[in-house]
Amino acid sequence: MSNAELPRIVDPNKFAEQKANLEGVIALRCLSRFAGLLQEVEGDVRVHLQFGMDAERRRVVEGRLEAPVVLECQRCMSPMQTTLNSTFKLGLVISDEQARQLPRELEPFLIESFEADLWQLVEDELLLAMPPYPLHERDQCPAAETLESLEGQVDENPADEPEQRENPFSVLAELKKKDDH
């Protein structure tokens, strides 16, 4: 894959007609919405985009991306390295109406006139590829010992024995018995 920077603004209609392939990188620090979620904003996202037309003559772009990133583990709050990967197939649309008419296998990518911001496209896909709760592998997490000790405490109090609680309606049952007499 090329190490050249991916162009930011392109004419997607022209690229679709030419069946163009684009490969390149974008520095993570240039993607401000995504960079704010990272522990370290170093490195690049590698991108491959293939423009074309589908069987219905809709303009589409298929792509894949790979980004080695450092996120915050939600278990131990320490930095963790991972690689985000995404593959996608987008239909190029100029209105919400066109977006509603796309088949399910195509996600809409809204373009303005003859321009598309590829960096925005990549940033959106990276945001979708983010894990909801980034976690180290359990055996690699600095909090693993703490978790094991906490789980041991839970095991000492078995949940098999249900707790005896007073029924809040027992008073009503007693009143009902008095009324029946």
Side-chain angles (χ1 to χ4, degrees), residues 114-127:
F114 298 104
E115 292 185 344
D117 185 337
L118 296 183
W119 289 17
Q120 178 185 345
L121 180 154
V122 169
E123 188 169 31
D124 289 347
E125 290 301 322
L126 282 170
L127 289 168

Side-chain angles (χ1 to χ4, degrees), residues 72-106:
E72 182 179 61
C73 173
Q74 297 300 296
R75 184 181 296 134
C76 67
M77 308 313 265
S78 299
M80 63 172 271
Q81 292 184 335
T82 190
T83 300
L84 300 180
N85 292 291
S86 178
T87 57
F88 48 91
K89 188 170 183 180
L90 307 171
L92 304 175
V93 297
I94 58 172
S95 69
D96 289 337
E97 180 59 35
Q98 279 186 343
R100 284 190 285 278
Q101 294 174 5
L102 287 176
R104 287 184 187 254
E105 67 269 8
L106 290 176

Side-chain angles (χ1 to χ4, degrees), residues 30-172:
C30 294
L31 305 172
S32 60
R33 292 180 297 146
F34 182 69
L37 302 174
L38 303 176
Q39 288 288 299
E40 297 176 15
V41 191
E42 297 299 318
D44 300 322
V45 55
R46 295 188 164 284
V47 183
H48 174 83
L49 300 173
Q50 181 177 355
F51 292 82
M53 307 281 254
D54 69 3
E56 303 292 319
R57 304 283 304 150
R58 286 183 287 261
R59 290 172 173 84
V60 296
V61 60
E62 292 184 58
R64 67 180 181 275
L65 56 85
E66 179 180 291
V69 296
V70 179
L71 303 174
E72 182 179 61
C73 173
Q74 297 300 296
R75 184 181 296 134
C76 67
M77 308 313 265
S78 299
M80 63 172 271
Q81 292 184 335
T82 190
T83 300
L84 300 180
N85 292 291
S86 178
T87 57
F88 48 91
K89 188 170 183 180
L90 307 171
L92 304 175
V93 297
I94 58 172
S95 69
D96 289 337
E97 180 59 35
Q98 279 186 343
R100 284 190 285 278
Q101 294 174 5
L102 287 176
R104 287 184 187 254
E105 67 269 8
L106 290 176
E107 290 292 321
F109 180 56
L110 188 63
I111 59 173
E112 296 180 20
S113 62
F114 298 104
E115 292 185 344
D117 185 337
L118 296 183
W119 289 17
Q120 178 185 345
L121 180 154
V122 169
E123 188 169 31
D124 289 347
E125 290 301 322
L126 282 170
L127 289 168
L128 291 170
M130 282 285 290
Y133 303 101
L135 298 171
H136 284 109
E137 291 297 325
R138 189 175 178 114
D139 60 338
Q140 298 173 354
C141 187
E145 287 182 28
T146 305
L147 280 174
E148 288 172 10
S149 68
L150 289 173
E151 288 171 350
Q153 290 175 3
V154 170
D155 290 342
E156 291 172 10
N157 302 323
D160 296 339
E161 299 174 21
E163 194 177 303
Q164 294 294 327
R165 296 188 333 199
E166 185 178 333
N167 183 344
F169 298 105
S170 61
V171 173
L172 294 175

